[in-house]
Amino acid sequence: MWLQREITLEPRPRGFHLVTGEVEQALPELSQLDVGLCHLFIRHTSASLSLNENASPDVRRDFETWFDAAVPEDFRGWTHTLEGPDDMPAHVKAMLNGVSLHVPVVAGKLALGTWQGIYLVEHRRKPHSREVIFQFIGSRKA
Amino acid sequence: MWLQREITLEPRPRGFHLVTGEVEQALPELSQLDVGLCHLFIRHTSASLSLNENASPDVRRDFETWFDAAVPEDFRGWTHTLEGPDDMPAHVKAMLNGVSLHVPVVAGKLALGTWQGIYLVEHRRKPHSREVIFQFIGSRKA
Amino acid sequence: MWLQREITLEPRPRGFHLVTGEVEQALPELSQLDVGLCHLFIRHTSASLSLNENASPDVRRDFETWFDAAVPEDFRGWTHTLEGPDDMPAHVKAMLNGVSLHVPVVAGKLALGTWQGIYLVEHRRKPHSREVIFQFIGSRKA
């Protein structure tokens, strides 16, 4: 079976946000699925999707600190500065993190590891609503 | 339905190249598809595929500037230098960007966001032809 | 057809490890498949999967050198240090590399490029067993 639809993630400030619960709530169909693959695709160039540690808020803060240091707003090479000092760093961070997420489904649940959670990463200072296309391919429960 | 075939992207100089149009032209089947998932896979270790801003050439130039600064040819840790000073940086950049791209198809079109375009990123100085395996899984238009 | 199962990769020390052979051996079904897509998903937050050069050990060593320099254990921004100095760098490196790998299957074989191999990247100092969910979607040989 094939399932495709769009979900909207609410605006969030810049940072690494744990959204596993919000994603699962937006996908009531999950419980009816058996095995297969979920694909989440964020339709933006300055926000990204990723998977990482789901417990400690300090991990998510440290991610932000490292990315801000690695892709600084005051990097001297930027020429695309018309949209603000956070725009070009947002594009680079989004490329490093990626816009597609793939999670196996096993017995009607996202088969995340014990410590894995879904991150929405907002790279702009100003919160934006973010559109995500959800797709599932696999089998439905008997 | 399942569709798989190979496309060749023409040689390009080092840099971030917007190839959405070239990819779409190489895939005339797209218009016959309804919903599903496209997978593009580049069969190389020093070129990559990515999605980002499709409008400003200065964004693509800034990407290159940042990656060259983050993964410099004169990094003192390189030991694999036999294939030239651009070889090992090319491998690292290709790993950071990735070799697989996944784009949902909706109503016979790649469901890219308004600002998203497909990038072929050539990391070697010398232009190379790049082989890409295209796969589609989903449904055909009725 | 749809195929899903779990494989366990043996514990390895920190570094970039070429595991193409181990993955293929763990997947005897591959030879019965015709065309389709393999998805490999590592259920961890401090190890990753990637594809890169399959020949020179010095390439894999240089990857490690670069990542250690880019995401240093002594980065002054870390606050999540309870689990050891290698924990937060492991999370960042895992995010940069990614936890999902997608490889087309053509005629019963992983359609890797000539120079592409599968990497298991262990980011912790202490070796850990790593669980990988393997999925295949496509068609079986007639």
Side-chain angles (χ1 to χ4, degrees):
Chain A
M1 68 161 290
W2 187 266
L3 185 66
Q4 180 189 76
R5 61 193 188 76
E6 196 166 313
I7 62 182
T8 302
L9 296 176
E10 62 175 39
R12 286 177 165 84
R14 186 157 78 162
F16 288 70
H17 303 283
L18 191 60
V19 297
T20 317
E22 184 176 342
V23 167
E24 287 172 338
Q25 283 193 343
L27 300 173
E29 300 93 336
L30 273 180
S31 64
Q32 305 159 29
L33 306 177
D34 187 15
V35 295
L37 177 65
C38 276
H39 175 227
L40 294 167
F41 177 79
I42 192 164
R43 301 180 72 208
H44 300 280
T45 61
S46 55
S48 49
L49 293 171
S50 196
L51 282 179
N52 212 278
E53 212 261 18
N54 60 15
S56 311
D58 52 355
V59 169
R60 300 194 293 279
R61 194 175 54 226
D62 284 3
F63 270 118
E64 190 172 4
T65 306
W66 183 84
F67 274 87
D68 285 349
V71 193
E73 292 196 355
D74 62 357
F75 175 57
R76 292 196 295 176
W78 304 139
T79 63
H80 177 79
T81 53
L82 264 181
E83 296 175 63
D86 62 328
D87 186 65
M88 198 58 224
H91 290 312
V92 173
K93 293 171 187 171
M95 186 175 286
L96 293 173
N97 280 339
V99 294
S100 275
L101 211 65
H102 304 80
V103 185
V105 170
V106 180
K109 290 194 181 149
L110 297 177
L112 295 167
T114 309
W115 298 103
Q116 285 180 315
I118 299 176
Y119 285 16
L120 167 69
V121 196
E122 176 56 60
H123 299 297
R124 299 304 305 265
R125 290 181 185 169
K126 188 176 165 225
H128 291 73
S129 288
R130 297 304 194 175
E131 289 175 25
V132 172
I133 295 182
F134 163 77
Q135 300 198 99
F136 171 79
I137 177 158
S139 63
R140 194 187 292 271
K141 280 183 185 168
Chain B
M1 69 161 289
W2 187 266
L3 186 66
Q4 181 189 75
R5 63 193 188 77
E6 197 166 312
I7 61 183
T8 301
L9 296 177
E10 62 175 39
R12 286 176 165 85
R14 188 158 79 162
F16 288 70
H17 302 282
L18 192 60
V19 297
T20 316
E22 184 177 342
V23 167
E24 287 171 338
Q25 283 192 342
L27 300 173
E29 300 93 337
L30 272 180
S31 66
Q32 304 159 31
L33 306 177
D34 187 14
V35 295
L37 177 65
C38 276
H39 176 227
L40 295 166
F41 178 79
I42 192 165
R43 301 180 73 209
H44 300 279
T45 61
S46 56
S48 51
L49 294 172
S50 197
L51 283 178
N52 212 278
E53 212 261 17
N54 61 15
S56 312
D58 51 355
V59 169
R60 299 195 294 279
R61 195 174 53 226
D62 284 4
F63 269 119
E64 190 172 2
T65 306
W66 183 85
F67 274 87
D68 286 349
V71 193
E73 292 196 353
D74 60 358
F75 175 57
R76 290 196 296 176
W78 304 138
T79 62
H80 178 78
T81 53
L82 265 181
E83 296 175 64
D86 62 327
D87 186 65
M88 198 57 225
H91 290 311
V92 173
K93 293 170 187 171
M95 186 174 287
L96 292 173
N97 281 339
V99 294
S100 274
L101 211 66
H102 303 80
V103 186
V105 169
V106 179
K109 289 193 180 149
L110 296 177
L112 296 166
T114 309
W115 299 103
Q116 286 180 315
I118 298 176
Y119 285 18
L120 167 69
V121 196
E122 177 57 59
H123 299 297
R124 299 303 306 266
R125 290 181 184 170
K126 188 178 164 222
H128 291 74
S129 289
R130 298 304 194 175
E131 289 175 24
V132 172
I133 295 181
F134 163 77
Q135 300 198 98
F136 170 80
I137 177 159
S139 63
R140 194 187 293 270
K141 280 184 186 170
Chain C
M1 67 161 291
W2 186 267
L3 185 66
Q4 180 188 75
R5 61 191 187 79
E6 196 167 313
I7 62 182
T8 301
L9 297 177
E10 63 174 37
R12 285 177 165 84
R14 187 157 79 162
F16 288 69
H17 302 283
L18 192 60
V19 296
T20 317
E22 184 177 343
V23 167
E24 288 172 338
Q25 283 193 343
L27 299 173
E29 300 93 337
L30 273 179
S31 64
Q32 305 160 29
L33 306 176
D34 187 14
V35 295
L37 178 65
C38 276
H39 175 227
L40 294 166
F41 177 79
I42 192 165
R43 301 179 73 208
H44 300 278
T45 61
S46 55
S48 50
L49 293 171
S50 196
L51 283 178
N52 213 279
E53 212 260 18
N54 60 15
S56 311
D58 52 355
V59 169
R60 300 195 293 279
R61 195 175 52 227
D62 284 3
F63 270 118
E64 191 173 3
T65 306
W66 183 85
F67 274 87
D68 286 348
V71 192
E73 292 196 354
D74 61 357
F75 175 56
R76 292 197 294 175
W78 304 137
T79 63
H80 178 78
T81 53
L82 264 180
E83 296 175 63
D86 61 327
D87 186 65
M88 197 60 224
H91 290 311
V92 173
K93 293 170 187 172
M95 187 175 286
L96 292 173
N97 280 340
V99 295
S100 275
L101 212 66
H102 303 79
V103 185
V105 170
V106 180
K109 291 194 179 147
L110 296 178
L112 295 167
T114 309
W115 299 103
Q116 285 180 315
I118 299 176
Y119 285 17
L120 167 69
V121 196
E122 176 56 60
H123 299 297
R124 298 306 304 266
R125 290 181 185 169
K126 187 176 164 223
H128 291 73
S129 288
R130 298 303 195 174
E131 289 176 24
V132 172
I133 295 181
F134 163 77
Q135 300 197 100
F136 171 80
I137 178 161
S139 63
R140 193 188 293 271
K141 282 183 183 167

